[in-house]
Each structure stands twice: as structure tokens, then as C-alpha cells.
Amino acid sequence: MGLLTGKTAFVSGGTRGIGLAIAERLAREGADVMVSGSSQSNCDAAVKRIATNSGGRVEACAADLRTHEGCQSVFDAQGKAFNSCDILVHSAGATKGGVFPDQNDTDFIDGFALKFHAGVRLSRLFWPSLVAARGNVVMIVGGASRTPDAKFMVGGAVNAALANFSKALAGQGLQDDVNVNWINPGQTETERLQQLLETRARDENRSVDDVRAERMQAEGIRRLGQPEDTAALVAFLCSNEARHIHGAGIAVDGGATKGYF
């Protein structure tokens, strides 16, 4: 039996990158999993991949989590499929890189809509189920929440807001017996990272390889992260063994963050 046998989970952004790795790991640990993504094709591919490597039930719902209607639709799909939710993982939210002051309002508005507001709405919708299950919430935030970068203002601002909300939600979790934690992944090998590197390379008229090497050197890390690094921590945080870890923001960045808080 796995760590999460008998539990049900919802993973936003669970069709690609870190979110997909999380959904795969939760399923391998015995949970029944619902994933959401922005397109039906991504959802179908994710279900096929996850089901191949696990014995649990896997479902998916395509929706635009930038909207209240999108959040409601995935909540309804979870209820229809499993009639419960023990684990909520919010991993959706691809904020855009750019150079200020040229970066326009649209990038900021979009970043907050998908990552922050969706996190708030999903937490509100799923909260009664999580209370009934004495469940777990894990927000996938990002190291930029603690290390502002002039070339990544959208991501930093959104991440900081979501981390603050997560800590406040943990206070509510103490009253309602719901565990709440958040994770700050560092540079992780995903399509998302590649897009950010390409944006910075274009803005600075440099090659992607040069930008990648510079960032690794500046952070003093031995390697780039893998999605599975974050997924392993999520699975542990959602297990009974980690019940006393609550209201914590944990970095998975290979030591890139130099501060102690």
C-alpha cells in the first residue's frame, strides 16, 4: 500500500511540468487523482500517462482557471468523480517574464488571475470537503516570492501574494484541522523554464544557453531541479507522517535561496 491509499486528490495544472509530476506521484502512492489543464488534449495525454504508471483512478477536466466559472467546473468535476477531496494541490500559473517598464498591465492581470485568484477560489470551493476529510492543501508557489528580480516582477509579485495567502490559510486550517503548506521550487527543467529563458535571452539579445549557464552560476546550484523533486515533497506533506508540518514554506531549489527564512 502507498502513503496515500484511499485518498482523493485534485491537482490544478496537473497536465504538464511540475503539476503532472505531482499527479503521477500521488497516483503511484495510491490516491485517486483529478487533474485540470487548459486544453482537452493535454488532459487526455496526462490521464493516459498517469494511468500507465499507477493503479488508481485518474480523471481530468479542461477549464480556464482564470475565471470563477472555470474553478467551479473543476470543483464540480471532482465531486462528480469522487464525491470527496482529501488533497488540494494548486500548481497552475505560468506567469510571464519581461522587462519593466515595458511590460504591460495584461501580463500582471493574467498572472494574478491564473495563479493567485485561482488558488483563492479553489481553496474556498474545496474547503468544506477538506474539513470533512481533515485534508491537505499544498500550494506550488516559487522562489521568486522571497527573492525579487527586476526581470521577473510579475512572477515575484504573484508568488509573494500566494505565499502570504497560504500562510493565512494555514491559520484557518488550525481551526478546521486542515493542513496547509506551500513549496517554493527553484529553477526546474520544464517547458515553463525554457520559455522564461527564451524570453530573457530575447530581451537581452543573448543565447538561451548563455542565460541558462549564467543563472546556474549566479545561484551556485549543482544542477537544475527536476519536477520529481517537488512531487516527492508534495506526497510526503500529504501523508500522515507529515501531519505536524503545517504553515510552512519549503524551498526545493538545490540551495539557491541564500536567506534563512
Side-chain angles (χ1 to χ4, degrees), residues 69-89:
E69 293 77 15
C71 292
Q72 183 70 50
S73 70
V74 298
F75 171 72
D76 292 342
Q78 175 81 15
K80 183 177 180 180
F82 303 130
N83 197 34
S84 67
C85 184
D86 299 276
I87 297 167
L88 168 62
V89 181

Side-chain angles (χ1 to χ4, degrees), residues 130 161 189 194 258:
L130 293 165
E189 287 278 19
Q194 185 64 23
K258 305 309 179 189

Side-chain angles (χ1 to χ4, degrees), residues 165-176:
F165 170 77
S166 300
K167 185 65 173 180
L169 188 65
Q172 184 65 43
L174 280 177
Q175 300 177 45
D176 295 338

Side-chain angles (χ1 to χ4, degrees), residues 179-226:
N179 259 39
V180 181
N181 295 287
W182 66 100
I183 296 174
N184 291 323
Q187 295 189 67
T188 305
E189 287 278 19
T190 62
E191 293 177 21
R192 163 81 176 130
L193 177 63
Q194 185 64 23
Q195 291 169 357
L196 290 173
L197 294 175
E198 289 172 356
T199 297
R200 182 165 293 192
R202 183 180 65 249
D203 290 340
E204 299 177 0
N205 194 27
R206 301 168 59 195
S207 73
V208 172
D209 288 343
D210 284 347
V211 174
R212 180 192 298 270
E214 179 185 73
R215 292 183 69 173
M216 289 182 62
Q217 183 177 21
E219 294 190 353
I221 54 179
R222 293 169 293 193
R223 65 168 174 86
L224 293 177
Q226 297 298 316

Side-chain angles (χ1 to χ4, degrees), residues 28 44 57 59 86 113 170 178 192 204 227 240 246:
R28 287 203 307 272
D44 292 342
R57 184 177 171 189
E59 302 286 345
D86 299 276
V178 176
R192 163 81 176 130
E204 299 177 0
N240 292 333
H246 176 76

Side-chain angles (χ1 to χ4, degrees), residues 56-123:
R57 184 177 171 189
V58 186
E59 302 286 345
C61 179
D64 183 0
L65 297 185
R66 295 173 178 84
T67 68
H68 183 276
E69 293 77 15
C71 292
Q72 183 70 50
S73 70
V74 298
F75 171 72
D76 292 342
Q78 175 81 15
K80 183 177 180 180
F82 303 130
N83 197 34
S84 67
C85 184
D86 299 276
I87 297 167
L88 168 62
V89 181
H90 179 46
S91 186
T95 54
K96 297 177 181 178
V99 178
F100 190 83
D102 296 332
Q103 199 164 16
N104 60 39
D105 283 356
T106 302
D107 288 351
F108 284 85
I109 293 168
D110 182 75
F112 273 94
L114 182 55
K115 193 162 190 177
F116 178 77
H117 291 299
V120 174
R121 288 167 179 155
L122 292 171
S123 297

